[in-house]
Amino acid sequence: MNQYVYIFGGLSDYQILNSIEKYDIITDTWISLYFKLPVPLAKLATSPLLGGKSILIMGGMSADYEPNSNVYQLELNLSKFLNKRSMKYERLFEGGQGVFSAANGSVYVLNGCLDSNECERYRPSKDQWDLMPSYSTVSGGATLNGYIGACIMED
């Protein structure tokens, strides 16, 4: 089973891109994918969805330097993006923290909100975002995903 790291758009320094690259850990090679993000973004976050064949892409900064709450699901087998329900808050993601997937399939967003420290939970089965009361309630002291704009997947 191969393991890949997917890199989406611009990760830092307000570099706004729409490219997606895949790094093969076994062969130590980078591959530029032929399909692009639906819109150019910087400072976005990603999370694998349960089942490992799709990636949730959320938030970030647009080419107009505006934060957004947009969410897309990339279906890896189909090379297709699906529009999903937007987060309740616009978010920019910096500093290697902010999003993690739980064993129950939910995705938690803890940081990146401009005007609030609200945490949100995404339930893919319902395409629904819920506000969570606090970081400590959802994290239970667990380590957060340290890859912002990157997503590790197994094939």
Side-chain angles (χ1 to χ4, degrees):
M1 190 177 312
N2 286 348
Q3 193 172 44
Y4 299 100
V5 176
Y6 289 86
I7 304 293
F8 296 84
L11 300 181
S12 62
D13 297 330
Y14 297 94
Q15 185 179 22
I16 299 169
L17 302 170
N18 67 346
S19 62
I20 303 174
E21 296 181 38
K22 180 168 90 170
Y23 175 71
D24 187 327
I25 295 170
I26 304 297
T27 63
D28 189 28
T29 56
W30 285 97
I31 302 162
S32 289
L33 301 184
Y34 66 92
F35 57 95
K36 307 290 183 199
L37 285 169
V39 295
L41 291 169
K43 300 189 180 295
L44 61 133
T46 64
S47 179
L49 291 177
L50 199 61
K53 295 299 178 191
S54 39
I55 298 172
L56 203 63
I57 301 157
M58 63 210 91
M61 182 177 64
S62 72
D64 296 330
Y65 300 100
E66 294 293 326
N68 74 69
S69 59
N70 296 340
V71 179
Y72 306 97
Q73 182 175 329
L74 170 58
E75 292 293 329
L76 294 170
N77 290 342
L78 303 173
S79 303
K80 180 179 179 178
F81 288 94
L82 305 172
N83 288 322
K84 301 311 255 181
R85 186 171 307 235
S86 294
M87 295 179 290
K88 295 184 182 288
Y89 291 98
E90 297 169 334
R91 295 177 188 270
L92 301 179
F93 296 92
E94 300 182 62
Q97 59 199 347
V99 176
F100 70 94
S101 298
N104 66 4
S106 293
V107 175
Y108 293 92
V109 178
L110 304 182
N111 287 347
C113 196
L114 298 179
D115 297 322
S116 172
N117 291 322
E118 294 289 341
C119 174
E120 296 184 54
R121 175 184 62 197
Y122 179 68
R123 294 189 283 171
S125 61
K126 296 183 177 189
D127 190 24
Q128 178 178 333
W129 287 93
D130 303 309
L131 289 178
M132 303 302 293
S134 72
Y135 295 170
S136 60
T137 300
V138 296
S139 67
T143 304
L144 302 180
N145 180 357
Y147 302 97
I148 299 304
C151 191
I152 298 175
M153 305 287 289
E154 291 186 354
D155 237 0

